[in-house]
Amino acid sequence: MSSEQEVLSGPPAPELLDDRIWVDGCWDFFHHGHAGAMLQARQLGTELYVGVHSDESILENKGPTVMNLRERLSAVDACRWVTRSVAYAPYVTQLDFISHFGCKYVVHGDDITSDSSGEDCYRFVKAAGRFKVVKRTPSISTTDLVGRMLLCTRTHFIKSLEKVLAGEEGSGTETEKKSEGEAMLKRITQYATDETGKNPGADVYFWSASTAAKTELSEEKGTFRSLLKGPGPKIGQRVVYVDGGFDLFSSGHIEFLRQVVSTEEDLARKEGWYDEQAVNERKGKGADYGPVFVVAGVHDDEVINYWKGVNYPIMNIYERGLCVLQCRYVNAVIFGAPFSPTKSYLTTSPWGTPDAVYHGPTAFMPLSYDPYTAPKEMGIFQEVPRHDFQDVNAGTIVQRIMKSRDLYEERQRRKGMKAVGEAEHRQREILEEEQRLKEEKMTSAA
């Protein structure tokens, strides 16, 4: 029995449902463009089933994947608008396959996707009148991100997201900057919705302070400013804080966030959160909900580049923030969070001092000091143990690309992207080596 046949071995859905939407794709190192497609699809119905192609079918039709199937499934399952993921979905969408799951309509972006023969991957569902089109998210694609790695560019960096959203920074005329800022704010608002994609779902804040306070250990108080208001913490929920760069948001970040939620659920279970009486009390007041409210601090581009060098982050703060917002394990996002969550920062949080600050073992970021000194002294620090995706981060993803550079350059050429010469490749090698020596010096001085 093939993998595809095994997926279809269960009983078929009794009927086709207008509101059960199907989307499919590679979803290779998941970015906000993927999430945008899922959001728009989810808004067209009440359930969203997401097909994920196998590594083999993608290699045959498109080129090598950066992330394997298990890693890509992890990313899809973490999207708050996804009802169910389906592995081994055929690269050319088949009517019998989507009908097995009760999905009447297939949704895809307004770009054309072709198979290895150059034919439309959605030709069968289009002929059956079961295809709907949504707008593709502009300015982002897997191909764009691979290009940033291969060419070692920094033009995607954002100095101040707050000023960009206000139309005060960016490229183009004043009118163009204002228009772009408005479009970006609209997208943040859309990604801050709940699982229906239609109602407010997450709090979004900025934290403003000096560059020194964001980069190094500093008790500068800084200021929080609300951008979007979500439902906020509910009665009885513990508020926990996590932070990071979340660059090339992937299974390593996702599994960390999932374990944070899982740890809090285990703690709540011991304290009776899931007892029948407690559940009925919450339902009696409206609806049941989980025991934890997760606040995620996202570092500025400048902060990440200070510590990691080269052209990290590969995704700018806007792109990384959208990736975090779409994740079902996150309830609030702080743009511009400090690298070190100090006592003054934590105690002035809009949600009050967090009940816990979580972090995982860090291998990617070389440190000359412990950035979590304050939460440890406050007795609220928790460390998530190692997990299967622990070593999947921006650094390892870039390494995967560089090790198979010829294959990915061919993929780029197929997409009409600029070819990468030996000079550009050597430049990245030089920058990576300089950063490695810098990190060794920092580590030995610590």
Side-chain angles (χ1 to χ4, degrees):
M1 182 183 293
S2 69
S3 298
E4 184 177 318
Q5 290 173 328
E6 189 174 346
V7 170
L8 296 175
S9 62
E15 60 180 325
L16 298 182
L17 301 174
D18 288 359
D19 288 331
R20 183 176 290 173
I21 306 297
W22 176 275
V23 297
D24 54 29
C26 305
W27 319 116
D28 204 10
F29 57 92
F30 200 84
H31 53 68
H32 75 86
H34 295 142
M38 293 181 185
L39 170 59
Q40 292 181 79
R42 177 64 177 80
Q43 290 170 333
L44 295 175
T46 56
E47 294 180 280
L48 179 62
Y49 279 45
V50 181
V52 185
H53 306 318
S54 69
D55 299 341
E56 294 78 13
S57 66
I58 298 171
L59 179 62
E60 178 185 347
N61 289 279
K62 187 176 183 178
T65 59
V66 181
M67 316 300 288
N68 63 41
L69 178 60
R70 186 164 170 246
E71 292 166 341
R72 291 183 287 113
L73 283 168
S74 169
V76 170
D77 287 333
C79 180
R80 71 171 77 248
W81 305 298
V82 173
T83 306
R84 176 181 173 180
S85 66
V86 180
Y88 300 103
Y91 200 84
V92 177
T93 307
Q94 305 292 324
L95 288 168
D96 60 343
F97 194 90
I98 64 170
S99 296
H100 179 87
F101 296 97
C103 300
K104 184 173 182 179
Y105 293 107
V106 176
V107 171
H108 188 68
D110 53 7
D111 55 328
I112 296 175
T113 302
S114 303
D115 61 15
S116 57
S117 301
E119 294 189 83
D120 189 341
C121 290
Y122 297 98
R123 56 188 181 273
F124 300 122
V125 292
K126 285 180 178 179
R130 292 169 62 179
F131 186 76
K132 294 186 177 184
V133 177
V134 294
K135 291 193 72 64
R136 179 183 175 278
T137 303
S139 304
I140 188 69
S141 70
T142 301
T143 307
D144 296 329
L145 296 173
V146 170
R148 291 179 192 177
M149 297 178 216
L150 294 174
L151 291 168
C152 206
T153 60
R154 299 187 189 187
T155 54
H156 58 284
F157 284 10
I158 289 177
K159 186 174 182 181
S160 169
L161 179 59
E162 197 165 4
K163 289 183 177 180
V164 169
L165 297 182
E168 297 171 7
E169 280 188 9
S171 58
T173 65
E174 293 301 313
T175 301
E176 289 170 337
K177 285 189 287 188
K178 183 177 180 182
S179 177
E180 179 64 12
E182 290 172 350
M184 291 170 67
L185 177 57
K186 181 179 179 181
R187 192 158 292 119
I188 291 173
T189 304
Q190 292 170 337
Y191 283 51
T193 53
D194 64 5
E195 65 276 5
T196 70
K198 298 176 181 178
N199 306 309
D203 293 341
V204 181
Y205 277 78
F206 287 110
W207 188 70
S208 301
S210 66
T211 300
K214 290 191 173 190
T215 308
E216 297 282 359
L217 193 62
S218 169
E219 285 296 338
E220 182 181 328
K221 192 173 181 180
T223 56
F224 289 92
R225 186 179 77 79
S226 174
L227 180 65
L228 298 171
K229 291 295 289 182
K234 296 180 175 66
I235 295 173
Q237 284 186 321
R238 276 167 52 93
V239 175
V240 305
Y241 180 77
V242 299
D243 61 8
F246 302 106
D247 194 16
L248 297 178
F249 193 74
S250 58
S251 52
H253 305 116
I254 291 163
E255 181 60 17
F256 161 69
L257 292 167
R258 191 194 69 78
Q259 287 205 17
V260 168
V261 173
S262 178
T263 300
E264 287 292 319
E265 288 174 341
D266 289 344
L267 178 62
R269 187 172 289 107
K270 294 176 183 176
E271 297 179 351
W273 182 272
Y274 296 102
D275 291 351
E276 184 177 358
Q277 181 179 346
V279 172
N280 289 335
E281 284 180 3
R282 291 192 294 274
K283 288 182 176 179
K285 295 177 182 178
D288 196 14
Y289 50 87
V292 61
F293 184 91
V294 178
V295 179
V298 183
H299 305 319
D300 284 333
D301 297 346
E302 186 178 20
V303 172
I304 296 173
N305 192 254
Y306 173 86
W307 285 102
K308 196 55 200 165
V310 196
N311 71 328
Y312 294 106
I314 305 301
M315 287 178 171
N316 63 44
I317 187 171
Y318 167 70
E319 295 163 344
R320 293 180 285 110
L322 290 177
C323 288
V324 176
L325 272 173
Q326 63 82 37
C327 181
R328 66 173 71 247
Y329 306 121
V330 173
N331 306 99
V333 166
I334 301 172
F335 284 110
F339 188 71
S340 297
T342 61
K343 184 175 182 179
S344 61
Y345 171 77
L346 294 171
T347 56
T348 57
S349 158
W351 308 273
T353 303
D355 295 288
V357 173
Y358 281 87
H359 194 63
T362 300
F364 179 48
M365 196 82 78
L367 304 176
S368 56
Y369 68 95
D370 183 358
Y372 295 97
T373 299
K376 287 177 180 177
E377 291 178 346
M378 295 166 69
I380 58 174
F381 182 78
Q382 296 278 345
E383 187 168 272
V384 168
R386 291 189 64 84
H387 50 77
D388 290 347
F389 299 118
Q390 180 66 44
D391 296 323
V392 183
N393 54 49
T396 55
I397 293 171
V398 169
Q399 287 171 13
R400 292 181 188 183
I401 294 286
M402 301 311 290
K403 284 179 180 178
S404 303
R405 184 167 64 98
D406 292 343
L407 291 173
Y408 289 111
E409 284 179 0
E410 175 57 29
R411 174 170 158 171
Q412 297 299 89
R413 280 190 286 270
R414 289 182 190 175
K415 291 282 189 175
M417 301 294 284
K418 177 185 175 183
V420 181
E422 289 298 325
E424 288 90 345
H425 180 59
R426 180 56 184 152
Q427 177 63 18
R428 175 153 207 121
E429 289 181 333
I430 291 170
L431 290 171
E432 292 278 10
E433 178 63 15
E434 289 176 351
Q435 181 65 19
R436 186 186 66 79
L437 294 173
K438 175 184 174 183
E439 291 171 7
E440 287 182 355
K441 186 176 180 181
M442 289 167 60
T443 304
S444 61

